[in-house]
Structure formats: C-alpha cells, structure tokens
Amino acid sequence: MKKFKKFYVEITSVCNLACTFCPPTERASNFIKVDAFSKILDEIKPHTDYIYYHVKGEPLLHPKIDELLDLSHEKGFKVNITTNGTLINKNRAKIMMKPALRQMNFSLHSFDGHVGSTNKEGYVSDILTFVKEALEKTDIIFSLRLWNLDTDNTTNQERNKNRQVLEILEREFNLDYKIEEKFVRGSGHKITDRVYLNQDHEFQWPALKEKEDDGKGFCHGLRNQAAILSDGTVVPCCLDGEGVINLGNVHQTPFAEIIESQRANNLVDGFSRREVVEELCRKCGYRQRFSM
C-alpha cells in the first residue's frame, strides 16, 4: 500500500487576499463539508499520518476549522496549516489548544504580495503574539516564511526588502545579532525553540501556458505526496492548484483505486525512468529542482 509523507487536503478554495505570487483559482469557490472531510480522512488514513489543510485557499477562512481539527485528532492525524496570518486573531480560540495541530506556517511575504496591505508592524505583531502564547501553551512548531527573494540577491532593494520584518523578529525574540548574518537561503534559521525563519525565492505556480522543458527529470509527486482538492478531485501534488492532472474524485471512486489507476501509475513510472509524462509537470519549475 502506498504511503505518503505529505498529504494535502484542501479545505477551501477561497482566499481573502489576492497576492501577486499566487494566481487566483479558476475553480468554483468551495468550502469542504464536515461529513465529506470525515469521509476523506477515512479513505486516506491507511496512506498517511500527516495532512496539510491547503492547496489553494486560506484555511483560516473555513468557518468550521475547529471541527475539522477535532475530526483530524479523533482519526489519528497530525495537521499542518499554512496561512497568510491575517485572520489569526479571529481564529485564536478555534485553533490554539487543538491537539491535532502540529505545525503552522505563516507566509509573511503575503503582506507585500497583496496590493493594498497596510500596517506591516501590526500584521507581524499579531502573528507573533499568537506564536508566543502558543509556545507557552502547546507543542506547535512555527515556520515564518519570507518566500519573496529574487533570483539575484545583489541589489540594495533586494537586501532591504524584508528588513522591517527581520527587525521585528530581532526585537520580539531579543536576538543579539542581525538575522542576515546567519541566514542561508533555502534552509530554516532557528529563531528560538520551535520557531524557524525560512527565506527563499518567490514561488512560481506551474501552468499550462508556461514554457515546456525537455521532459526529463524526477519529482516526488504521487511518490511521497498527494493532494485532494476541496471538491474531492485527487491530484498528484500540492502544485496542481487547478486540478489539471485530475486522477479522479473521491466522492465517486475510492482513493485507493484512484492512485492505482493507469494515469497515476504512468506518472510515477515515468518519473522512475526520469521521463515526465504529464504536460503540467513539464511546465513546473519546482520539479526541475529534482532533475537528474
């Protein structure tokens, strides 16, 4: 039986921001129903122990996120939530003491990515207030993400892009150094126990309109990760935000059958041969990190 290290269950396709680095989904707006979520958990339980509440969409928008967390705990899952953090105050009571919650990733680059954002100091401070309280009361791990670096990080503008956020972190956690002095792009920098800062290049979503590569290489899609969109569509990874590689729907076909379908096996077997069989995969820059 296939086991996945990462499993993405999108609980909503809706987001409250419109970030430049994240094209809005063309799919219908949807919030997963609690009973549908419960059924999905039962189907994927033999295949994973860890789930992520997103592909597209902002998880903290889901009005019943507390019930989803309770269900996840009851069925033995550990949950990771990636959020832009703007709704953390409204959801504090819903998520703070939930035993299922293993890790929260805050995409701090959302502030600059969303045209019209105001009060960066207040935005970051609200998140850090939640983080500090959770550090005292829970075992949650936190990743603070600044995925907005240019490929060439040589200009003053680039070096100064995140300085205000870094200054807040240095102040709030009483750091006696400037984070840039110890920062290594792509690897997590430990701020304090269970709090890490991750800085990396701006994220690029794959799309059929993008240029196709040579079709050679490898990817972990359907090998150590899989995803289910909020309408039940199964896709091979968290980067297929539009459901282009539609392997089937869990509301119509058991998940165990979907991932053993001919299309699914062709994708995995192709990567084993270092051949990319799906068009979207040939237009995915992230996959090129694994090319050999």
Side-chain angles (χ1 to χ4, degrees):
M1 181 175 294
K2 291 181 179 178
K3 295 280 288 188
F4 301 99
K5 294 180 181 178
K6 296 182 178 181
F7 205 109
Y8 299 82
V9 181
E10 181 188 74
I11 63 174
T12 180
S13 60
V14 181
C15 189
N16 62 321
L17 300 185
C19 296
T20 55
F21 56 82
C22 185
T25 181
E26 297 177 1
R27 293 181 283 124
S29 299
N30 189 51
F31 291 85
I32 200 167
K33 301 292 190 296
V34 174
D35 57 346
F37 182 76
S38 180
K39 178 180 180 292
I40 287 173
L41 294 187
D42 289 338
E43 293 220 10
I44 68 175
K45 181 55 185 172
H47 302 278
T48 191
D49 298 314
Y50 298 92
I51 53 177
Y52 295 71
Y53 278 5
H54 77 283
V55 174
K56 285 287 187 79
E58 168 52 51
L60 297 189
L61 271 177
H62 199 292
K64 296 185 177 181
I65 191 170
D66 51 344
E67 294 183 38
L68 304 186
L69 285 166
D70 288 340
L71 266 175
S72 299
H73 178 62
E74 290 171 14
K75 296 178 184 292
F77 290 94
K78 287 295 185 181
V79 176
N80 301 285
I81 292 178
T82 297
T83 172
N84 58 45
T86 57
L87 303 173
I88 194 62
N89 284 339
K90 293 182 179 179
N91 287 274
R92 179 185 306 273
K94 286 187 175 183
I95 66 177
M96 176 65 77
M97 301 304 294
K98 296 300 185 183
L101 189 51
R102 171 188 173 268
Q103 179 168 329
M104 291 194 71
N105 308 313
F106 287 97
S107 299
L108 301 183
H109 49 282
S110 300
F111 185 91
D112 289 326
H114 176 72
V115 177
S117 293
T118 58
N119 190 11
K120 182 182 288 188
E121 175 93 23
Y123 163 72
V124 177
S125 295
D126 284 347
I127 291 173
L128 295 185
T129 297
F130 175 86
V131 169
K132 288 183 176 182
E133 182 180 351
L135 289 176
E136 295 179 358
K137 297 180 178 179
T138 76
D139 295 322
I140 301 173
I141 300 166
F142 294 97
S143 172
L144 307 175
R145 296 177 172 178
L146 287 169
W147 289 2
N148 56 2
L149 301 181
D150 294 335
T151 303
D152 179 9
N153 302 328
T154 58
T155 66
N156 287 332
Q157 182 180 1
E158 176 57 31
R159 287 195 298 268
N160 294 332
K161 177 182 291 186
N162 297 318
R163 181 88 288 269
Q164 184 179 357
V165 174
L166 300 184
E167 285 177 355
I168 297 171
L169 293 176
E170 291 160 1
R171 182 182 72 240
E172 292 295 321
F173 290 102
N174 298 312
L175 303 184
D176 60 0
Y177 60 89
K178 286 189 177 295
I179 291 173
E180 292 97 326
E181 297 172 0
K182 299 186 178 182
F183 156 70
V184 177
R185 187 193 65 77
S187 63
H189 173 70
K190 186 174 182 179
I191 299 294
T192 189
D193 185 41
R194 290 186 284 125
V195 180
Y196 299 85
L197 174 68
N198 294 86
Q199 292 185 264
D200 212 328
H201 295 152
E202 183 172 304
F203 182 79
Q204 298 292 328
W205 287 88
L208 292 177
K209 65 181 181 180
E210 299 299 329
K211 183 179 179 181
E212 191 166 312
D213 62 24
D214 62 5
K216 302 296 182 181
F218 179 77
C219 181
H220 294 289
L222 280 189
R223 193 176 300 269
N224 72 4
Q225 70 163 279
I228 299 179
L229 303 181
S230 57
D231 66 354
T233 299
V234 177
V235 292
C237 74
C238 63
L239 300 182
D240 188 358
E242 294 304 309
V244 173
I245 308 176
N246 184 341
L247 301 174
N249 192 294
V250 290
H251 301 315
Q252 301 165 0
T253 308
F255 176 77
E257 292 183 18
I258 291 175
I259 58 171
E260 292 296 345
S261 66
Q262 182 175 353
R263 187 176 187 182
N265 284 324
N266 285 345
L267 183 148
V268 174
D269 293 343
F271 284 134
S272 295
R273 301 189 306 270
R274 302 304 190 263
E275 296 179 6
V276 186
V277 301
E278 290 284 348
E279 181 183 359
L280 184 69
C281 300
R282 294 193 296 269
K283 297 179 176 182
C284 176
Y286 194 85
R287 180 193 57 77
Q288 295 172 3
R289 299 186 185 191
F290 309 111
S291 298
M292 296 177 63

PDB file of all heavy atoms in Angstrom, residues 127-149:
ATOM      1  N   ILE A 127       0.652  38.159  14.604  1.00  0.00           N
ATOM      2  CA  ILE A 127       1.098  36.778  14.410  1.00  0.00           C
ATOM      3  C   ILE A 127       2.029  36.352  15.529  1.00  0.00           C
ATOM      4  O   ILE A 127       1.899  35.259  16.109  1.00  0.00           O
ATOM      5  CB  ILE A 127       1.777  36.628  13.035  1.00  0.00           C
ATOM      6  CG1 ILE A 127       0.741  36.781  11.922  1.00  0.00           C
ATOM      7  CG2 ILE A 127       2.497  35.290  12.927  1.00  0.00           C
ATOM      8  CD1 ILE A 127       1.327  36.826  10.526  1.00  0.00           C
ATOM      9  N   LEU A 128       2.973  37.211  15.875  1.00  0.00           N
ATOM     10  CA  LEU A 128       3.936  36.855  16.910  1.00  0.00           C
ATOM     11  C   LEU A 128       3.291  36.761  18.290  1.00  0.00           C
ATOM     12  O   LEU A 128       3.728  35.970  19.135  1.00  0.00           O
ATOM     13  CB  LEU A 128       5.087  37.864  16.924  1.00  0.00           C
ATOM     14  CG  LEU A 128       5.963  37.892  15.668  1.00  0.00           C
ATOM     15  CD1 LEU A 128       7.141  38.833  15.855  1.00  0.00           C
ATOM     16  CD2 LEU A 128       6.444  36.498  15.297  1.00  0.00           C
ATOM     17  N   THR A 129       2.256  37.547  18.536  1.00  0.00           N
ATOM     18  CA  THR A 129       1.516  37.421  19.796  1.00  0.00           C
ATOM     19  C   THR A 129       0.900  36.031  19.912  1.00  0.00           C
ATOM     20  O   THR A 129       0.960  35.383  20.967  1.00  0.00           O
ATOM     21  CB  THR A 129       0.410  38.488  19.885  1.00  0.00           C
ATOM     22  OG1 THR A 129       1.012  39.781  19.896  1.00  0.00           O
ATOM     23  CG2 THR A 129      -0.421  38.310  21.153  1.00  0.00           C
ATOM     24  N   PHE A 130       0.311  35.558  18.810  1.00  0.00           N
ATOM     25  CA  PHE A 130      -0.241  34.203  18.791  1.00  0.00           C
ATOM     26  C   PHE A 130       0.865  33.171  18.990  1.00  0.00           C
ATOM     27  O   PHE A 130       0.715  32.217  19.775  1.00  0.00           O
ATOM     28  CB  PHE A 130      -0.966  33.945  17.476  1.00  0.00           C
ATOM     29  CG  PHE A 130      -1.472  32.538  17.329  1.00  0.00           C
ATOM     30  CD1 PHE A 130      -2.713  32.179  17.838  1.00  0.00           C
ATOM     31  CD2 PHE A 130      -0.705  31.578  16.695  1.00  0.00           C
ATOM     32  CE1 PHE A 130      -3.179  30.874  17.715  1.00  0.00           C
ATOM     33  CE2 PHE A 130      -1.158  30.271  16.560  1.00  0.00           C
ATOM     34  CZ  PHE A 130      -2.399  29.922  17.078  1.00  0.00           C
ATOM     35  N   VAL A 131       1.972  33.346  18.275  1.00  0.00           N
ATOM     36  CA  VAL A 131       3.081  32.394  18.358  1.00  0.00           C
ATOM     37  C   VAL A 131       3.600  32.290  19.793  1.00  0.00           C
ATOM     38  O   VAL A 131       3.793  31.187  20.317  1.00  0.00           O
ATOM     39  CB  VAL A 131       4.217  32.804  17.401  1.00  0.00           C
ATOM     40  CG1 VAL A 131       5.485  31.991  17.679  1.00  0.00           C
ATOM     41  CG2 VAL A 131       3.779  32.631  15.949  1.00  0.00           C
ATOM     42  N   LYS A 132       3.798  33.413  20.449  1.00  0.00           N
ATOM     43  CA  LYS A 132       4.348  33.399  21.800  1.00  0.00           C
ATOM     44  C   LYS A 132       3.400  32.726  22.787  1.00  0.00           C
ATOM     45  O   LYS A 132       3.821  31.976  23.674  1.00  0.00           O
ATOM     46  CB  LYS A 132       4.664  34.825  22.250  1.00  0.00           C
ATOM     47  CG  LYS A 132       5.878  35.427  21.563  1.00  0.00           C
ATOM     48  CD  LYS A 132       6.178  36.815  22.114  1.00  0.00           C
ATOM     49  CE  LYS A 132       7.442  37.392  21.519  1.00  0.00           C
ATOM     50  NZ  LYS A 132       7.772  38.732  22.076  1.00  0.00           N
ATOM     51  N   GLU A 133       2.106  32.980  22.624  1.00  0.00           N
ATOM     52  CA  GLU A 133       1.129  32.329  23.509  1.00  0.00           C
ATOM     53  C   GLU A 133       1.132  30.821  23.275  1.00  0.00           C
ATOM     54  O   GLU A 133       1.090  30.028  24.228  1.00  0.00           O
ATOM     55  CB  GLU A 133      -0.262  32.896  23.263  1.00  0.00           C
ATOM     56  CG  GLU A 133      -1.328  32.289  24.181  1.00  0.00           C
ATOM     57  CD  GLU A 133      -2.712  32.858  23.937  1.00  0.00           C
ATOM     58  OE1 GLU A 133      -2.838  33.847  23.187  1.00  0.00           O
ATOM     59  OE2 GLU A 133      -3.678  32.291  24.492  1.00  0.00           O
ATOM     60  N   ALA A 134       1.188  30.429  22.008  1.00  0.00           N
ATOM     61  CA  ALA A 134       1.178  29.005  21.678  1.00  0.00           C
ATOM     62  C   ALA A 134       2.444  28.306  22.160  1.00  0.00           C
ATOM     63  O   ALA A 134       2.400  27.131  22.543  1.00  0.00           O
ATOM     64  CB  ALA A 134       1.017  28.817  20.175  1.00  0.00           C
ATOM     65  N   LEU A 135       3.559  29.002  22.154  1.00  0.00           N
ATOM     66  CA  LEU A 135       4.800  28.406  22.653  1.00  0.00           C
ATOM     67  C   LEU A 135       4.683  28.054  24.131  1.00  0.00           C
ATOM     68  O   LEU A 135       5.265  27.071  24.600  1.00  0.00           O
ATOM     69  CB  LEU A 135       5.968  29.361  22.431  1.00  0.00           C
ATOM     70  CG  LEU A 135       6.436  29.562  20.986  1.00  0.00           C
ATOM     71  CD1 LEU A 135       7.533  30.622  20.922  1.00  0.00           C
ATOM     72  CD2 LEU A 135       6.927  28.251  20.372  1.00  0.00           C
ATOM     73  N   GLU A 136       3.923  28.851  24.859  1.00  0.00           N
ATOM     74  CA  GLU A 136       3.745  28.601  26.286  1.00  0.00           C
ATOM     75  C   GLU A 136       2.725  27.503  26.562  1.00  0.00           C
ATOM     76  O   GLU A 136       2.864  26.750  27.531  1.00  0.00           O
ATOM     77  CB  GLU A 136       3.300  29.888  26.990  1.00  0.00           C
ATOM     78  CG  GLU A 136       4.326  31.002  26.978  1.00  0.00           C
ATOM     79  CD  GLU A 136       3.826  32.253  27.671  1.00  0.00           C
ATOM     80  OE1 GLU A 136       2.657  32.256  28.120  1.00  0.00           O
ATOM     81  OE2 GLU A 136       4.597  33.231  27.763  1.00  0.00           O
ATOM     82  N   LYS A 137       1.714  27.385  25.698  1.00  0.00           N
ATOM     83  CA  LYS A 137       0.583  26.506  25.995  1.00  0.00           C
ATOM     84  C   LYS A 137       0.567  25.210  25.202  1.00  0.00           C
ATOM     85  O   LYS A 137      -0.143  24.267  25.576  1.00  0.00           O
ATOM     86  CB  LYS A 137      -0.729  27.251  25.729  1.00  0.00           C
ATOM     87  CG  LYS A 137      -0.960  28.458  26.612  1.00  0.00           C
ATOM     88  CD  LYS A 137      -2.284  29.130  26.265  1.00  0.00           C
ATOM     89  CE  LYS A 137      -2.569  30.312  27.177  1.00  0.00           C
ATOM     90  NZ  LYS A 137      -3.859  30.976  26.828  1.00  0.00           N
ATOM     91  N   THR A 138       1.314  25.139  24.091  1.00  0.00           N
ATOM     92  CA  THR A 138       1.206  23.993  23.181  1.00  0.00           C
ATOM     93  C   THR A 138       2.599  23.526  22.744  1.00  0.00           C
ATOM     94  O   THR A 138       3.618  24.095  23.148  1.00  0.00           O
ATOM     95  CB  THR A 138       0.405  24.367  21.917  1.00  0.00           C
ATOM     96  OG1 THR A 138       1.223  25.160  21.041  1.00  0.00           O
ATOM     97  CG2 THR A 138      -0.861  25.142  22.271  1.00  0.00           C
ATOM     98  N   ASP A 139       2.595  22.505  21.889  1.00  0.00           N
ATOM     99  CA  ASP A 139       3.840  21.999  21.306  1.00  0.00           C
ATOM    100  C   ASP A 139       3.935  22.326  19.817  1.00  0.00           C
ATOM    101  O   ASP A 139       4.710  21.712  19.085  1.00  0.00           O
ATOM    102  CB  ASP A 139       3.926  20.478  21.490  1.00  0.00           C
ATOM    103  CG  ASP A 139       4.029  20.076  22.950  1.00  0.00           C
ATOM    104  OD1 ASP A 139       4.722  20.784  23.705  1.00  0.00           O
ATOM    105  OD2 ASP A 139       3.409  19.061  23.334  1.00  0.00           O
ATOM    106  N   ILE A 140       3.153  23.293  19.351  1.00  0.00           N
ATOM    107  CA  ILE A 140       3.121  23.638  17.932  1.00  0.00           C
ATOM    108  C   ILE A 140       4.485  24.157  17.469  1.00  0.00           C
ATOM    109  O   ILE A 140       5.154  24.914  18.170  1.00  0.00           O
ATOM    110  CB  ILE A 140       2.046  24.701  17.649  1.00  0.00           C
ATOM    111  CG1 ILE A 140       0.665  24.186  18.065  1.00  0.00           C
ATOM    112  CG2 ILE A 140       2.035  25.078  16.167  1.00  0.00           C
ATOM    113  CD1 ILE A 140      -0.425  25.250  17.974  1.00  0.00           C
ATOM    114  N   ILE A 141       4.879  23.729  16.269  1.00  0.00           N
ATOM    115  CA  ILE A 141       6.090  24.220  15.607  1.00  0.00           C
ATOM    116  C   ILE A 141       5.680  25.344  14.653  1.00  0.00           C
ATOM    117  O   ILE A 141       4.627  25.274  14.016  1.00  0.00           O
ATOM    118  CB  ILE A 141       6.776  23.092  14.821  1.00  0.00           C
ATOM    119  CG1 ILE A 141       7.159  21.943  15.758  1.00  0.00           C
ATOM    120  CG2 ILE A 141       8.000  23.610  14.061  1.00  0.00           C
ATOM    121  CD1 ILE A 141       7.535  20.674  15.016  1.00  0.00           C
ATOM    122  N   PHE A 142       6.509  26.376  14.548  1.00  0.00           N
ATOM    123  CA  PHE A 142       6.173  27.512  13.689  1.00  0.00           C
ATOM    124  C   PHE A 142       7.264  27.763  12.651  1.00  0.00           C
ATOM    125  O   PHE A 142       8.451  27.766  12.970  1.00  0.00           O
ATOM    126  CB  PHE A 142       5.972  28.780  14.525  1.00  0.00           C
ATOM    127  CG  PHE A 142       4.780  28.705  15.423  1.00  0.00           C
ATOM    128  CD1 PHE A 142       4.921  28.347  16.759  1.00  0.00           C
ATOM    129  CD2 PHE A 142       3.507  28.977  14.941  1.00  0.00           C
ATOM    130  CE1 PHE A 142       3.821  28.261  17.595  1.00  0.00           C
ATOM    131  CE2 PHE A 142       2.402  28.888  15.767  1.00  0.00           C
ATOM    132  CZ  PHE A 142       2.563  28.533  17.099  1.00  0.00           C
ATOM    133  N   SER A 143       6.820  27.978  11.420  1.00  0.00           N
ATOM    134  CA  SER A 143       7.708  28.397  10.345  1.00  0.00           C
ATOM    135  C   SER A 143       7.227  29.747   9.845  1.00  0.00           C
ATOM    136  O   SER A 143       6.078  29.882   9.408  1.00  0.00           O
ATOM    137  CB  SER A 143       7.699  27.378   9.197  1.00  0.00           C
ATOM    138  OG  SER A 143       8.411  27.879   8.080  1.00  0.00           O
ATOM    139  N   LEU A 144       8.084  30.750   9.937  1.00  0.00           N
ATOM    140  CA  LEU A 144       7.778  32.095   9.444  1.00  0.00           C
ATOM    141  C   LEU A 144       8.442  32.234   8.078  1.00  0.00           C
ATOM    142  O   LEU A 144       9.667  32.187   7.974  1.00  0.00           O
ATOM    143  CB  LEU A 144       8.302  33.146  10.425  1.00  0.00           C
ATOM    144  CG  LEU A 144       7.858  32.967  11.881  1.00  0.00           C
ATOM    145  CD1 LEU A 144       8.534  33.988  12.777  1.00  0.00           C
ATOM    146  CD2 LEU A 144       6.334  33.054  12.004  1.00  0.00           C
ATOM    147  N   ARG A 145       7.640  32.379   7.050  1.00  0.00           N
ATOM    148  CA  ARG A 145       8.151  32.308   5.690  1.00  0.00           C
ATOM    149  C   ARG A 145       8.235  33.673   5.022  1.00  0.00           C
ATOM    150  O   ARG A 145       7.291  34.454   5.064  1.00  0.00           O
ATOM    151  CB  ARG A 145       7.263  31.392   4.842  1.00  0.00           C
ATOM    152  CG  ARG A 145       7.266  29.945   5.299  1.00  0.00           C
ATOM    153  CD  ARG A 145       6.315  29.107   4.471  1.00  0.00           C
ATOM    154  NE  ARG A 145       6.436  27.687   4.772  1.00  0.00           N
ATOM    155  CZ  ARG A 145       5.693  26.741   4.206  1.00  0.00           C
ATOM    156  NH1 ARG A 145       4.765  27.076   3.310  1.00  0.00           N
ATOM    157  NH2 ARG A 145       5.861  25.474   4.531  1.00  0.00           N
ATOM    158  N   LEU A 146       9.369  33.905   4.389  1.00  0.00           N
ATOM    159  CA  LEU A 146       9.550  35.061   3.522  1.00  0.00           C
ATOM    160  C   LEU A 146      10.040  34.531   2.180  1.00  0.00           C
ATOM    161  O   LEU A 146      11.230  34.557   1.872  1.00  0.00           O
ATOM    162  CB  LEU A 146      10.561  36.043   4.141  1.00  0.00           C
ATOM    163  CG  LEU A 146      10.061  36.850   5.337  1.00  0.00           C
ATOM    164  CD1 LEU A 146      11.215  37.569   6.027  1.00  0.00           C
ATOM    165  CD2 LEU A 146       8.978  37.854   4.914  1.00  0.00           C
ATOM    166  N   TRP A 147       9.103  34.028   1.410  1.00  0.00           N
ATOM    167  CA  TRP A 147       9.434  33.444   0.110  1.00  0.00           C
ATOM    168  C   TRP A 147       9.249  34.499  -0.964  1.00  0.00           C
ATOM    169  O   TRP A 147       8.404  34.384  -1.843  1.00  0.00           O
ATOM    170  CB  TRP A 147       8.535  32.242  -0.167  1.00  0.00           C
ATOM    171  CG  TRP A 147       8.852  31.040   0.685  1.00  0.00           C
ATOM    172  CD1 TRP A 147       9.800  30.936   1.654  1.00  0.00           C
ATOM    173  CD2 TRP A 147       8.197  29.767   0.640  1.00  0.00           C
ATOM    174  NE1 TRP A 147       9.783  29.677   2.217  1.00  0.00           N
ATOM    175  CE2 TRP A 147       8.815  28.945   1.618  1.00  0.00           C
ATOM    176  CE3 TRP A 147       7.152  29.249  -0.123  1.00  0.00           C
ATOM    177  CZ2 TRP A 147       8.416  27.627   1.835  1.00  0.00           C
ATOM    178  CZ3 TRP A 147       6.757  27.948   0.098  1.00  0.00           C
ATOM    179  CH2 TRP A 147       7.384  27.141   1.060  1.00  0.00           C
ATOM    180  N   ASN A 148      10.074  35.537  -0.899  1.00  0.00           N
ATOM    181  CA  ASN A 148       9.923  36.644  -1.844  1.00  0.00           C
ATOM    182  C   ASN A 148      11.259  37.144  -2.380  1.00  0.00           C
ATOM    183  O   ASN A 148      11.350  38.250  -2.904  1.00  0.00           O
ATOM    184  CB  ASN A 148       9.183  37.799  -1.170  1.00  0.00           C
ATOM    185  CG  ASN A 148       9.872  38.269   0.105  1.00  0.00           C
ATOM    186  OD1 ASN A 148      10.935  37.762   0.481  1.00  0.00           O
ATOM    187  ND2 ASN A 148       9.270  39.239   0.785  1.00  0.00           N
ATOM    188  N   LEU A 149      12.299  36.345  -2.257  1.00  0.00           N
ATOM    189  CA  LEU A 149      13.605  36.770  -2.733  1.00  0.00           C
ATOM    190  C   LEU A 149      13.691  36.649  -4.249  1.00  0.00           C
ATOM    191  O   LEU A 149      13.122  35.750  -4.853  1.00  0.00           O
ATOM    192  CB  LEU A 149      14.711  35.922  -2.099  1.00  0.00           C
ATOM    193  CG  LEU A 149      14.795  35.925  -0.568  1.00  0.00           C
ATOM    194  CD1 LEU A 149      15.957  35.068  -0.110  1.00  0.00           C
ATOM    195  CD2 LEU A 149      14.925  37.345  -0.032  1.00  0.00           C
TER     196      LEU A 149
END
